[in-house]
Amino acid sequence: MLPKETDTVIVGGGQAGLAMSEHLSNCGIAHVVLERARIAERWRTERWDSLVANGPAWHDRFPSMEFSDTDPDAFASKHSVASYFEDFAKQIDAPIYCGVTVRNARRMENATGFRVETSEGLIEARNIVAATGPFQKPVIPPVVPELVGIKQMHSSTYRNPEQLPQGAIMVVGAGSSGTQIASELRHAGRKVYLSVGPHDRPPRSYRGRDFCWWLGVLGKWQAKTPPAGQEHVTIAVSGANGGETVDFRKLAETGITLVGRTQRFENGKLLFNADLVENIAAGDANYLSLLQEADDYVAREGLDLPPEPEAHIIPPDPDCLTEPVLSLDLAQAGITTIIWATGFVQDFNWLEVDAFGADGKPQHDRGVSTASGVYFLGLPWLSMRGSSFIWGVWVDAQYLAEHIAAKRLAATG
């Protein structure tokens, strides 16, 4: 049974909520974690069957606990990740309540705290931590009308090739999810089209070190703000098949047809921007620039890391680049399914406080909201580039817990 009151209510029982719970416990702050389903539910039921983490296990974890079933240099399966968070919750003895939906949270009249209405009753708290993460509401652009009769789904509801009707498949979005799904479908013998927009394309590994290591030593994880105009650039990186660099030319060699960014639907045809060559070239430039930064770092630090000149070679363009497809008749192409790997938007409808801008986005400084007592955790670029990653959310949670503890100390004198 939920307590009637506590110091802090954490909403969300994934990586952000658990990290926050550990640090609040370390600070001696009474709290509860409210999770609508199970711990790490999105890893369990809102991802495809073969998904693995995008970073190696030595990197994609909390500092206070290692994976028990995954080699440090391997990429944990989604089941291992879910089990990891369950084990972590037990390790820290998190006061987590599963199966509890938060309906709304409002500031109490003539009081400094909040009243949180849940499916299990009311609870009052001094502070609210929104730890629901960045993957809240799937986005399917209103491009292709449902009346067309083609099965459309978001990548979060894709599970495996067997769930799809026979026929060709259009995958829209070429980030981590889109590229992995497209590759899996192609290896299952399906005809696949992949719509590629602007993206970053880091190497999976280089000179014997994973790209997560390179981003660390090059200071890129700690970047405070994204480069101008790149706030929402897709990153094409994967831990699938033991970890491989995403190479769109190699994907084309397997039989995947690359097209530009999906523009609109008209008279039974999908129309694409004439930007495929530009998008691939920009991704190549990003890839090569990181290799050069790595080479410069090795020379500067005098490291004994084997050179990898072959990594700098960009293969010839496939036919779908030299003769790009600008429109596709879905019926003639035999396309029966469109998978939208087009990301998510945040959904804070339950949080009825004055903590959002005109665009509906949270207003905060390193997660400390403009509304006193309200905190955000697990969002991209909350304090740095690494904020939405497992280790990064742990760092941000420590900062917020210390802020809550300092505020409490100041209030009690």
Side-chain angles (χ1 to χ4, degrees), residues 124-412:
E124 295 181 357
R126 293 177 183 271
N127 306 292
I128 299 285
V129 179
T132 48
F135 307 119
Q136 296 173 26
K137 191 174 181 180
V139 173
I140 295 182
V143 176
V144 181
E146 293 184 10
L147 295 176
V148 172
I150 290 177
K151 183 179 181 66
Q152 299 187 62
M153 64 170 60
H154 190 265
S155 57
S156 61
T157 60
Y158 168 78
R159 295 294 171 265
N160 53 60
E162 289 71 32
Q163 82 179 111
L164 306 182
Q166 292 299 310
I169 299 152
M170 166 64 68
V171 179
V172 181
S176 296
S177 297
T179 53
Q180 290 179 62
I181 292 171
S183 180
E184 176 174 273
L185 290 168
R186 181 59 195 143
H187 280 97
R190 309 297 287 271
K191 174 60 182 174
V192 179
Y193 297 84
L194 179 60
S195 178
V196 181
H199 59 274
D200 282 351
R201 188 173 73 86
R204 173 71 270 173
S205 66
Y206 181 59
R207 301 187 70 161
R209 295 289 187 273
D210 188 84
F211 103 97
C212 291
W213 186 88
W214 284 115
L215 264 59
V217 299
L218 295 175
K220 295 184 180 294
W221 285 126
Q222 288 71 36
K224 301 305 179 187
T225 56
Q230 295 189 351
E231 292 81 358
H232 305 292
V233 170
T234 294
I235 299 178
V237 67
S238 170
N241 304 313
E244 297 176 338
T245 297
V246 173
D247 187 326
F248 289 102
R249 292 174 178 81
K250 288 184 178 179
L251 289 177
E253 286 179 5
T254 68
I256 294 175
T257 300
L258 307 177
V259 297
R261 178 184 283 183
T262 299
Q263 186 181 62
R264 66 182 189 276
F265 179 79
E266 191 175 280
N267 299 323
K269 296 181 179 180
L270 268 182
L271 306 181
F272 310 105
N273 289 345
D275 59 359
L276 178 62
V277 173
E278 176 186 345
N279 294 336
I280 296 294
D284 292 341
N286 170 259
Y287 165 82
L288 292 172
S289 69
L290 189 55
L291 298 190
Q292 187 60 58
E293 286 187 65
D295 287 339
D296 292 344
Y297 180 84
V298 169
R300 186 169 61 251
E301 300 297 325
L303 300 182
D304 184 20
L305 297 179
E308 198 175 333
E310 64 275 13
H312 293 255
I313 299 173
I314 301 295
D317 289 343
D319 291 344
C320 56
L321 274 178
T322 57
E323 300 178 15
V325 174
L326 299 181
S327 68
L328 192 65
D329 187 298
L330 300 184
Q332 289 183 8
I335 292 175
T336 56
T337 304
I338 300 176
I339 299 176
W340 298 92
T342 41
F344 301 77
V345 293
Q346 299 163 10
D347 184 3
F348 294 107
N349 287 333
W350 58 272
L351 188 52
E352 300 177 18
V353 298
D354 186 18
F356 303 93
D359 58 1
K361 295 180 180 179
Q363 294 183 308
H364 65 89
D365 179 13
R366 292 191 63 181
V368 180
S369 169
T370 53
S372 178
V374 177
Y375 300 85
F376 295 98
L377 183 62
L379 302 182
W381 296 97
L382 188 82
S383 72
M384 58 179 170
R385 180 176 183 171
S387 285
S388 58
F389 292 80
I390 296 174
W391 66 269
V393 81
W394 190 91
V395 173
D396 288 343
Q398 182 176 23
Y399 175 81
L400 296 184
E402 291 173 352
H403 187 279
I404 290 172
K407 186 178 70 169
R408 181 185 180 189
L409 181 62
T412 57

